[in-house]
Each structure stands twice: as C-alpha cells, then as structure tokens.
Amino acid sequence: IYRRLARRWLSTDLPPAFETYVRDRLKRYDRVTAGAESRDASRPFAGFIDIWNQELFFEAHEYLETIWQHTGGDRHLALKGLIKAAGVYVHLENNRRAAARRLAPRAYRQMKDHAESLGFIANLDRLLDCMQRVAPAPPRLKLNKAFDCFRKAENIFISVQSDAKVAKMYGEIEKLSDKLQRHGDFIN
C-alpha cells in the first residue's frame, strides 16, 4: 500500500523537498518491510526496534502504542515512557527543540523507573543517557534476544492487533490522499 501511495505522490509535481522526503521514507519503509518478512511474529518488540532504527519515530510511536494498549502495570508505564522517547525524536525532527526538552525528562523518568519491563532493549542505558541530554542523534537500539516479555500467545495477539491498526492507518492515508486529489488541494 505504501509503495502505491508513494508512486501517486511522486507522479505529481512535488516541490523538491517533498519529493526528497517521500523518496527517503519509501527507502526506510522498504527496509522495515524487508526485516518484517524474516521476523518472528511472536517477538513484536523486534519490529519496534527495526522501525526505531530506521528513524521512523512517528511510526515507532504508533506501532508501540498498539502494544502498550494491551498491557498493564509496570510494563504499561515503561512502554509509555518509550512512546514518549519516540515523541522526543519526532519533535527534534521537526525542529521543536523546546517541546523535546519538555518531553525527554518524562520519558526518561518512566523508562528508568520501570526499566525491568524494557529488558528487550539490550542498550537501554544508552537510550536513557540520550533522554537525559536530549541528544539530537538517536541511539540505535539493540534487541536483547534472550528477553521474553510476553508469553507467545500474547505476542501473537499483539502482533495481529498491530497489523490491523497499521492497515487501518494506511487506509485512512489513502482516503485522505484521494480526497485531496478530488478537491484539487493536492500539494502544488
């Protein structure tokens, strides 16, 4: 779906900055998709790390939110901190440094206070350090392959829920794109 949408956008007369953005995102989405084909569906956090490491922070936030909604307790709070960490980098990408500086301490505190629930990140200390400093360069996260955060049945359920949300999101993007084209409000 994303390739079809990208082709549609690229077939128009986009300003160079928008064309560069779409082409860059397309490459990143291709890399995540290629990784997804070989990823074990019972390990949804591997998907999050793949998305994060492609610096698709908005998408990482959305993906993790589908998991977070099905958790409780410390795990819920830890994942909420990680979602905020992705939000910090969304703000930094959009040159909203003040917003990133406000959000980073909350992300740091939630992740630090509930670090045992983030054992799937082998280098969590590096992410925490980046949040403390509001580091402009995000860390590449490493998957702790030995960590089993959920039972296999829970992981499969979460994966299915995530896939359904992503499919719905693509559908909404496609509808919006169609609507913009019909009304002539497409980027000129």
Side-chain angles (χ1 to χ4, degrees):
I1 295 174
Y2 71 91
R3 291 193 129 281
R4 186 177 63 213
L5 290 171
R7 275 194 311 273
R8 186 183 305 165
W9 283 90
L10 292 171
S11 70
T12 66
D13 188 24
L14 288 174
F18 289 116
E19 182 178 344
T20 299
Y21 175 84
V22 171
R23 288 187 189 285
D24 175 65
R25 290 292 170 168
L26 185 57
K27 287 178 192 173
R28 293 177 193 211
Y29 281 20
D30 283 345
R31 288 191 292 259
V32 168
T33 302
E37 292 169 0
S38 62
R39 188 179 321 112
D40 180 357
S42 70
R43 299 188 79 120
F45 292 119
F48 165 75
I49 287 178
D50 286 349
I51 296 167
W52 175 281
N53 286 340
Q54 288 302 318
E55 298 185 8
L56 295 167
F57 299 111
F58 176 79
E59 293 84 348
H61 166 279
E62 289 294 310
Y63 180 88
L64 195 57
E65 203 167 71
T66 64
I67 297 170
W68 167 77
Q69 292 171 348
H70 300 284
T71 64
D74 286 343
R75 185 179 301 151
H76 185 82
L77 295 170
L79 294 177
K80 191 172 183 180
L82 194 51
I83 290 167
K84 288 177 182 172
V88 167
Y89 287 105
V90 169
H91 285 309
L92 290 173
E93 281 179 330
N94 292 294
N95 296 315
R96 294 189 304 259
R97 189 146 175 81
R101 281 195 309 268
R102 284 190 304 272
L103 188 56
R106 296 191 324 241
Y108 172 83
R109 178 62 29 219
Q110 283 184 299
M111 289 187 298
K112 179 116 173 106
D113 288 352
H114 306 284
E116 67 283 350
S117 294
L118 297 174
F120 64 92
I121 302 174
N123 58 339
L124 180 62
D125 56 333
R126 184 134 186 265
L127 177 58
L128 289 170
D129 178 60
C130 286
M131 286 298 106
Q132 275 189 308
R133 295 182 295 111
V134 193
R140 281 193 60 79
L141 299 182
K142 295 178 184 170
L143 180 65
N144 179 357
K145 294 179 182 173
F147 185 81
D148 259 332
C149 190
F150 295 114
R151 293 185 312 266
K152 190 165 184 150
E154 287 177 315
N155 287 342
I156 291 169
F157 173 75
I158 288 167
S159 181
V160 168
Q161 293 294 318
S162 296
D163 290 348
K165 184 169 183 178
V166 169
K168 182 179 177 188
M169 205 167 53
Y170 281 132
E172 294 301 316
I173 291 169
E174 196 168 30
K175 285 181 203 171
L176 178 60
S177 181
D178 290 342
K179 185 176 180 180
L180 286 171
Q181 284 183 328
R182 279 194 313 276
H183 293 290
D185 294 333
F186 208 73
I187 297 172
N188 288 320

